Each structure stands twice: as structure tokens, then as C-alpha cells.
Amino acid sequence: MPIVAVIGATGTGKSELSLDLAEALARDGVAAEIVNADAMQLYRGMDIGTAKLAPAERRGVSHHLLDVLDPTEEASVAAYQREARAVVEGIRARDAVPILVGGSGLYVSSVLYEYDFPGTDPGIRDRLERDLDEQGPGLLHRRLLEVDPASAQEIGASNGRRLVRALEVIELTGKPFRTGQPGSESLWRPAITIGLELERAQLTERLDRRVERMWSAGLVDEVAALRPAGFGTTAARAIGYAQALAQLDGTATEAEAIAEAAALTRRYARRQVSWFRRYPDTRWLDALAPDRVAAAAALLRR
């Protein structure tokens, strides 16, 4: 069975389409299971800010790799790749279709494409993380520009976690960092990729409302409940969670926290669009088109 990947920016309805596809396949007598490829949805308890579907909303479709990490733990794309591929192979062995769903570009690519990840060094990582915390991502971006301009341009000046990883790999290997760009490697297994897209103005409106709904739904209370157990570096920097923490600390008002989360979400969506646009052989569908489910299902029947 081929992997079906449902990709696109935050707020385009990937989760809903994945469920619709699973139901369409079931009507054809083919089972399907969903594999999460959103890095933040790996975390237990981080539900509202990640738009994670509650169990009751999953329509009886099996979901994998949700709620597998505590917020104190650090997500690793290399570990995710191992686990996700094992899950995918298990689904295929059951003669079911694995539907890979998420907006974390490198996580999606790690499953779809042949890509090996270098190891890590805790000492180097800790030093770079301290530099990031004390001096911000701009310093790391300038360092990366000096040693690997192509990767620096690709990662950008604000993605601190990726900048840390790039500099760590370069220091470990003495070679340029491979960003895992889509299409730069051959497919790991046969795959059908379906992308959801929206005009920028439409997407911006949806993202702004989405952030407002998260606050209305109780994101700050969710963060307050998680806080006593602590947040690791990755979880604490998640969009929405970092701003909710600032609100709880009194360093930002609610309006300021919402505005910053919305701005960062819009920026993240632009990066997602840029990343996923490079996936070859992707069938792009209007995320609001009435026939999007039928069009996506037709692709799977070819």
C-alpha cells in the first residue's frame, strides 16, 4: 500500500481531509490509519494550542504518534523517523493505507524520503542552546551564514531550534548541513501526496481566528495546568505556548500574547507553504473547494 501524505499550511484542514479520506477508503473496502506528522502534537496535554483532535473527534479511525512525549522531553526528528516508519510498515503489513498528516515539514520529509540524520552531542547542543537563550537566534544565524550560507538562507533567522541543529551537525561532521529539502532524495516507499492550499488573504484570516479561538477555548488554563511539571525547550517555545507562558508571567497582556502568537503563526504558515511547494508530484487542492474530498479520493483510486 502506498503512503498517502496530506500536507499544507496550518489551518488548511488537513486533519479533516485525512478523516474524510479514511472514510472514503473504508467505503471502498480498504482500511486506513492516520500517522501524525505534527511535531507539537507528539506532546501529551498540549491539545488546544496544537489543534489536536480529541479522541471523540477521530471518527473511530486509528491514530498513531499522538501524545507520545511529555512536555519536558525534547522532540527529535531522527527518533520520530524511526518510530513513524515502524508504524507505517505495521499499517502496510495489515493491508491498510497509512495516511501521514501534518505540517512539520522536516518530519513529513523524514518519512517520505530517504534521509539519514547525523547523531547528536549533548555538550555541543547545550552550548548552542545557551547561546540561543542568552543572545537569540540572530547570532546563530550569523554564525551559520559564515559556514553554510545555503542552509542559513533556507532555515531563516528566527528558527532557533533548526539553527542550533545545523550548527551542531556542522561542528560534528565538518560538512554543510543538509536541510532535508523535499525532493532532494528518493522516496522511501511509494507515496501519493495531496496538498491543501488557500489564497494568502483567506489563510491569514483563518489563522488569526484560529489563534483567537485557542485563547477562548482555554489555552492559558491548559498551559497553567501543565506548568508545574515543567516544559522542555521545544515545548516551551511552541507557538501559542510561549505566549501563554508570557501572559501567565505577566510579561505580556492577553492582547499582546494573542497578537504575537497570530503573527508567528502567519510566519510559520509562510514557511510551510515554501517548504511543501517543493514536493514533487503533489496534487494541490483548494482547501475550501466543495469537491476537495471527492478529488482527493479519486487520486487514491488510480
Side-chain angles (χ1 to χ4, degrees):
M1 294 290 182
I3 300 169
V4 176
V6 179
I7 61 172
T10 295
T12 51
K14 297 183 295 295
S15 295
E16 182 179 0
L17 179 63
S18 70
L19 289 170
D20 291 336
L21 285 176
E23 291 180 338
L25 286 167
R27 288 192 293 272
D28 290 341
V30 179
E33 301 179 31
I34 292 173
V35 183
N36 168 53
D38 182 313
M40 294 302 108
Q41 290 194 9
L42 297 171
Y43 287 109
R44 299 182 189 94
M46 293 176 61
D47 303 330
I48 297 173
T50 66
K52 187 187 300 173
L53 291 177
E57 298 173 316
R58 297 173 194 172
R59 306 186 202 172
V61 179
S62 294
H63 282 63
H64 302 272
L65 297 181
L66 294 171
D67 303 321
V68 295
L69 296 175
D70 290 326
T72 54
E73 298 178 273
E74 298 302 325
S76 160
V77 68
Y80 169 82
Q81 181 192 54
R82 291 191 300 271
E83 294 166 11
R85 287 186 169 184
V87 167
V88 166
E89 292 290 62
I91 294 170
R92 296 175 79 234
R94 293 190 286 276
D95 291 326
V97 174
I99 303 179
L100 184 70
V101 185
S104 298
L106 188 57
Y107 281 65
V108 176
S109 294
S110 76
V111 178
L112 292 182
Y113 297 102
E114 290 288 4
Y115 190 76
D116 296 325
F117 292 92
T120 188
D121 183 292
I124 296 173
R125 174 65 64 90
D126 289 346
R127 169 164 46 82
L128 291 169
E129 290 282 4
R130 284 197 304 273
D131 290 344
L132 177 63
D133 288 337
E134 294 170 4
Q135 303 183 58
L139 171 69
L140 299 186
H141 188 251
R142 289 191 292 274
R143 287 185 195 170
L144 189 58
L145 275 171
E146 294 177 359
V147 295
D148 189 352
S151 293
Q153 182 177 3
E154 180 58 43
I155 294 170
S158 61
N159 192 338
R161 181 168 172 78
R162 295 284 288 143
L163 290 167
V164 165
R165 178 57 176 161
L167 289 167
E168 178 190 24
V169 169
I170 291 169
E171 190 167 339
L172 278 171
T173 67
K175 299 177 182 179
F177 179 64
R178 298 169 64 205
T179 60
Q181 281 302 308
S184 62
E185 308 291 340
S186 58
L187 286 171
W188 171 63
R189 295 288 184 270
I192 298 169
T193 307
I194 299 169
L196 290 175
E197 61 183 351
L198 280 173
E199 293 181 359
R200 177 170 290 187
Q202 291 177 307
L203 181 59
T204 296
E205 173 68 18
R206 286 169 67 93
L207 294 177
D208 287 349
R209 300 292 81 77
R210 176 188 177 108
V211 171
E212 291 170 359
R213 286 195 302 272
M214 287 175 176
W215 253 259
S216 298
L219 176 59
V220 176
D221 290 337
E222 178 178 275
V223 173
L226 292 170
R227 196 175 194 183
F231 286 91
T233 301
T234 301
R237 291 182 179 148
I239 297 174
Y241 289 85
Q243 290 70 46
L245 283 166
Q247 183 179 334
L248 288 168
D249 286 338
T251 58
T253 66
E254 179 176 289
E256 290 169 341
I258 291 172
E260 180 175 313
L264 290 172
T265 300
R266 294 192 297 270
R267 184 185 305 168
Y268 178 54
R270 289 194 294 272
R271 291 202 307 269
Q272 289 175 300
V273 171
S274 176
W275 180 281
F276 288 129
R277 273 293 173 191
R278 286 187 286 265
Y279 275 58
D281 303 321
T282 298
R283 172 65 184 271
W284 288 96
L285 304 175
D286 183 339
L288 299 181
D291 65 344
R292 65 190 180 282
V293 177
L299 294 172
L300 308 188
R301 297 188 182 107
R302 291 181 179 175

